[in-house]
């Protein structure tokens, strides 16, 4: 059992601890900023402009065209594909599927996973034959229930590809943003002291 003196001090300690936690939380609120914020000092104020300065080149196929549209919207916020951009983005898109669940009694598949993947490379406009300034790959998946009707399966697969493609466009956008952030950090990195003469 606590003594009356310690019991009286206990609420004061709780209040002091809570005040300390609130002060620390308040001090840390300025340390976290969204990557795409206009005042982000790490990425520079022009990160959105840099992402919007990428022209997404035509991708073959219906899925490629949908992914291209999603990516253009993600990069420009709906402003459209820039025609005279300093960067060009090339992509190769693939879609594969595999059965995830098979009914043991009937031997028929019940669920399928659709995987959409893309390899991308970004080059400077006018220097398409030179090495890419950045490149990467990304993949996203979506699952569907397998039906015994062929058209229903086709429709569900296309819907899964669209969902996976939307996720994929956001992943590629994040990769491109990370490239520009890293590039900005390399430019603004402080230069160390010069080596003393020998």
């Amino acid at each position: 059992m606590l003594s009356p003196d310690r019991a009286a001090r206990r609420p004061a300690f709780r209040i002091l601890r809570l005040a300390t936690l609130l002060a620390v939380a308040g001090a840390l609120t300025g340390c976290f900023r969204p990557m795409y914020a206009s005042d982000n000092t790490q990425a520079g104020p022009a990160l959105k402009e840099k992402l919007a300065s990428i022209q997404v080149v035509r991708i073959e196929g219906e899925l490629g065209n949908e992914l291209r549209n999603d990516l253009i919207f993600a990069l420009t916020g709906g402003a459209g594909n820039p025609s005279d951009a300093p960067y060009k983005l090339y992509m190769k898109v693939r879609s594969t599927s595999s059965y995830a669940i098979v009914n043991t009694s009937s031997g028929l598949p019940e669920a399928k996973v659709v995987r959409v993947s893309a390899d991308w490379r970004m080059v400077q406009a006018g220097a398409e034959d030179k090495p890419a300034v950045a490149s990467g790959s990304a993949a996203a998946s979506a699952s569907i229930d397998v039906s015994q009707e062929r058209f229903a399966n086709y429709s569900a697969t296309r819907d899964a590809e669209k969902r996976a493609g939307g996720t994929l466009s956001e992943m590629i956008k994040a990769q491109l943003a990370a490239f520009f952030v890293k590039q900005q950090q390399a430019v603004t990195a402080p230069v160390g002291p010069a080596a003393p003469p020998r």
Side-chain angles (χ1 to χ4, degrees):
M1 182 176 179
L2 293 175
S3 65
D5 189 34
R6 290 185 64 187
R9 288 200 307 262
R10 202 168 191 184
F13 281 126
R14 287 181 179 170
I15 294 172
L16 181 61
R17 189 171 14 180
L18 180 61
T20 303
L21 287 173
L22 290 175
V24 171
L28 291 176
T29 53
C31 298
F32 302 99
R33 296 189 182 181
M35 178 183 286
Y36 306 110
S38 59
D39 61 344
N40 190 326
T41 55
Q42 293 295 322
L47 178 57
K48 287 185 178 180
E49 294 176 11
K50 289 177 181 176
L51 291 174
S53 68
I54 303 171
Q55 179 186 3
V56 185
V57 179
R58 182 176 178 272
I59 309 170
E60 294 295 330
E62 185 177 358
L63 176 60
N65 187 55
E66 289 173 355
L67 176 59
R68 177 176 180 261
N69 291 337
D70 288 342
L71 189 55
I72 291 171
F73 185 86
L75 293 175
T76 66
N81 201 26
S83 57
D84 56 348
Y87 297 103
K88 289 189 176 182
L89 187 73
Y90 293 88
M91 281 193 295
K92 291 183 179 179
V93 183
R94 296 175 301 279
S95 175
T96 58
S97 61
S98 59
Y99 293 117
I101 301 175
V102 176
N103 189 308
T104 55
S105 59
S106 65
L108 297 175
E110 295 182 346
K112 184 168 70 170
V113 175
V114 177
R115 184 175 187 269
V116 178
S117 58
D119 296 321
W120 61 268
R121 63 185 186 93
M122 184 171 66
V123 300
Q124 288 188 329
E128 288 81 1
D129 56 340
K130 294 184 179 179
V133 296
S135 61
S137 60
S141 301
S143 60
I144 61 170
D145 294 328
V146 177
S147 171
Q148 300 305 312
E149 296 182 10
R150 182 178 300 177
F151 179 77
N153 279 330
Y154 173 79
S155 179
T157 300
R158 293 289 298 117
D159 181 65
E161 287 178 338
K162 290 179 182 179
R163 286 185 283 127
T167 303
L168 196 62
S169 65
E170 291 296 329
M171 294 172 67
I172 296 174
K173 176 185 176 182
Q175 291 174 345
L176 292 167
F179 163 75
F180 285 120
V181 169
K182 188 175 180 181
Q183 187 184 55
Q184 179 67 23
Q185 288 175 341
V187 171
T188 59
V191 180
R198 293 183 179 178

